[in-house]
Every structure is written in structure tokens, then in C-alpha cells.
Amino acid sequence: MSEAIRTFDSAVHGEQQEEIPCPLCGGRNTDEVLIARDLLFAKPGTYPLVRCQACTMEYVSPRPTGASLGAHYPDDYFGYSLHEDAPAWLRPFLQSMAKGISRKRIAYLEQTTGRIAEDTDILDVGCGVNRLLECIRDERGVTGTGIDFKPEIVQYVREKLQMPIMEGSLDSAGLPAESYDVVFMMEYIEHELHPRAVLEEARRVLRPGGHLALEIPYAGAWIGRFFGRFWWNLDIPRHLIFFTPKTLEEMLDQCGFELVKINPFTLPLYVGMSIVQALGLRHWRKYEGLYPILSSFLALPLLPFQWLMPEFLFVVARAK
Ligand SMILES: [Zn+2]
């Protein structure tokens, strides 16, 4: 297995980049899936999404190095947006959508684990503004712990929500072994430069028989292939690795997990975001509140059919 990573400076992107071997099997022979641009922040340069010829793992290479990656997460990145920042008339809509997403995540986990018990030790890696743990606390009476690397977000969760949170990464947290029953990583692992190391660390902090819940973009979903480089869930270069059920099962197995359940799903009207991008209406983003409304409007005729368009996977794996 070749681990050599080639690092270089890209003048076009204005950043340091690295070319990596396949994160799953270490292979070097790849086919090009597509060439992506950063459609969210319109930065210069392109990024190839490649597929390993040996194991079919899809990943971005060359990609920004760890040192370059922070520049791709400016303060207005939507993962950090608070409902308080949105226009007042839009807030109830956003709040009920966020609550719906959290409830769905809890339901998917509980399909495998049964109802979350009051003594469950829960960790949410990449918790953002802590909506999931807030919902679990309100509806199951369990206060979990979050981890996020954005200092402003950590301060918000600690001071405004008064909930426990650690600043940094799962790796830097240095948690005791076998101390959690459930680890959530919601739309997190695809952002990681070293997903294998993160999964191994998750396995270490989980008790045997504990559960890892992952939510990720569904690589190989037809909707993603259809929209190609305009697929909203592509979000390169923030998303760096794309799992199919097969490649995910393989990596989980290598990291000490047994895959228990995969739910392919989409969110109401989510496909509208990809339609907006494909129509080149991305600049509507500056009109803040109107943007989700426009994408929802465009997706409305497809609402009865959206169960045919899964573009996320919710995955539950058990620590072996
Ligand atoms: Zn491979």
C-alpha cells in the first residue's frame, strides 16, 4: 500500500495542495469522475473528483492541504449560520425545518438502537450549533457532548445554549477509551482529510456494541450523476471523499465497525438547491432569505417524486 502524498503549491488556486493515494486501498490508478469548481464561494481553480480503479472509492485529488483548508470555511459558511441571523419572518420556517431534520436523525438511529435511554453517553463530532443534541436533550432527556473546531460556535453553544462542548477535533479531544454509547457524525466525515483516522478514533472512544451514526452524501446516487458538477451535495473542495454503501462498508470494517443499517434519503425540496446551481442562479445567494425560497419554489413540482431521488445516506454501524 503506497502512502506517499505529493505536496505542491498551486498558483491558479493560490494555495498549497496535495495529491493523495486512494484513502481506502492505497491504490494510485484512478479514472476521472468530473472536474468541480467551488460553486459556493466562487474561488479560482478546479478540483478533480476521481474514482479508484481497484476499489471504486471516490475522492478529490489533488486537494487543499490541511493548512489551506481553513480558507474554504469563511465565517458566512452556512454550517455556522444561526437562526437568529436570518430575517425574522424566515426564522419559524428554518427552525421547524431544522427540528424536522434532527427528529429524522433520532428516528433513524432508534430504528437500530431502540429509544435512546436516559443514561446514554452521546458524542456529536462536528456538532455545529448543536441542533441535534439540543433536540435529543429536549425530547429524550439526555445531554450529549459536542465537538467543533470553530471557536465562535463553541462559545455560542457554551454560553447561549449552556451545553457541554469541546473545541477542536475528535483526535485533539483525547477522550478516554470506551466512554461513549453513541457517536454522531452528521455531514462531517466527507469534510475530513483523514477519514480513516477519525473512524478509528470513533471506534476507540465507543464502548463495544456502541453505535456510530453517519450522515453523508450518497455517492453514486442517480441525482448526483444527473446534476454532475452542479450537484449541491458535491460541495468540493469542502467535501473531499464520497462513499457508496460498498466503499463505506469496507472502510468501516477496516476500522472495527460492522455496518448495521443504511437509509438512503433526501430532505424536502432539497433538489431545488441543485436546480438553482444548474441554472446558474448561484448569485441569488446574496439575497439571503430569498435563496431557499427560490430553490423550494423550483423543486415544488418534484415534491411527490422526491422519494425517488435519495442523495444522502444515514448509516448506523456497531463497534465490534
Ligand atoms: Zn482504492
Side-chain angles (χ1 to χ4, degrees):
M1 188 182 280
S2 163
E3 289 291 339
I5 292 176
R6 186 176 72 88
T7 305
F8 59 96
D9 289 311
S10 165
V12 178
H13 299 77
E15 67 182 8
Q16 191 187 54
Q17 296 195 339
E18 59 190 19
E19 197 175 87
I20 59 161
C22 171
L24 182 57
C25 77
R28 283 277 177 189
N29 297 324
T30 57
D31 295 316
E32 188 182 288
V33 178
L34 53 79
I35 300 286
R37 274 181 188 283
D38 182 350
L39 294 173
L40 192 54
F41 296 111
K43 295 212 171 186
T46 58
Y47 299 90
L49 174 66
V50 299
R51 185 188 299 117
C52 175
Q53 288 178 0
C55 76
T56 74
M57 184 76 239
E58 292 183 18
Y59 58 100
V60 179
S61 179
R63 67 185 189 182
T65 59
S68 312
L69 209 52
H72 295 288
Y73 291 88
D75 288 341
D76 62 344
Y77 176 59
F78 58 81
Y80 304 126
S81 64
L82 301 172
H83 293 148
E84 289 92 316
D85 298 339
W89 58 272
L90 197 61
R91 270 177 233 162
F93 172 70
L94 293 175
Q95 272 162 353
S96 88
M97 244 178 67
K99 185 141 263 189
I101 291 171
S102 293
R103 283 185 175 145
K104 190 163 207 162
R105 288 169 171 172
I106 295 169
Y108 278 148
L109 174 74
E110 290 183 338
Q111 281 177 10
T112 299
T113 61
R115 191 179 165 91
I116 297 172
E118 275 180 29
D119 60 349
T120 309
D121 290 311
I122 302 176
L123 186 67
D124 186 2
V125 181
C127 62
V129 293
N130 229 28
R131 294 203 181 105
L132 176 61
L133 290 181
E134 223 186 339
C135 188
I136 293 175
R137 182 198 59 188
D138 294 347
E139 304 197 351
R140 295 293 182 272
V142 184
T143 302
T145 304
I147 302 182
D148 207 282
F149 71 89
K150 193 89 175 169
E152 297 85 347
I153 292 300
V154 170
Q155 193 186 356
Y156 169 84
V157 171
R158 219 172 254 155
E159 290 174 11
K160 280 263 185 164
L161 304 183
Q162 306 224 316
M163 293 185 72
I165 181 166
M166 290 172 273
E167 184 178 327
S169 63
L170 179 57
D171 196 39
S172 71
L175 297 165
E178 301 188 4
S179 47
Y180 288 91
D181 303 300
V182 174
V183 173
F184 282 102
M185 292 184 191
M186 300 291 99
E187 300 186 33
Y188 174 77
I189 197 87
E190 65 272 20
H191 296 262
E192 265 290 339
L193 287 166
H194 306 291
R196 178 190 299 275
V198 174
L199 291 175
E200 283 170 348
E201 181 63 5
R203 173 62 194 87
R204 193 185 68 79
V205 305
L206 271 170
R207 301 186 174 114
H211 290 90
L212 172 69
L214 293 167
E215 189 177 293
I216 54 173
Y218 180 1
W222 77 265
I223 201 86
R225 298 287 184 239
F226 177 77
F227 282 103
R229 66 194 178 92
F230 297 113
W231 186 32
W232 179 273
N233 238 336
L234 201 61
D235 201 23
I236 290 171
R238 281 157 298 280
H239 292 179
L240 301 168
I241 185 158
F242 293 85
F243 290 99
T244 60
K246 174 184 164 285
T247 53
L248 182 65
E249 182 166 17
E250 250 173 81
M251 189 173 280
L252 285 170
D253 181 59
Q254 291 174 13
C255 296
F257 289 98
E258 170 199 359
L259 191 146
V260 184
K261 194 163 176 69
I262 293 193
N263 288 86
F265 74 99
T266 190
L267 299 168
L269 304 171
Y270 194 83
V271 67
M273 311 290 253
S274 297
I275 299 175
V276 164
Q277 286 199 149
L279 292 175
L281 298 175
R282 211 46 219 263
H283 58 278
W284 274 68
R285 190 173 159 266
K286 66 185 170 199
Y287 298 106
E288 290 292 342
L290 291 179
Y291 186 59
I293 302 238
L294 171 69
S295 66
S296 300
F297 177 74
L298 290 168
L300 209 53
L302 296 169
L303 196 57
F305 310 105
Q306 66 172 20
W307 59 278
L308 294 166
M309 310 172 184
E311 53 177 301
F312 295 92
L313 296 174
F314 193 98
V315 180
V316 180
R318 191 176 292 129
K320 287 194 272 198

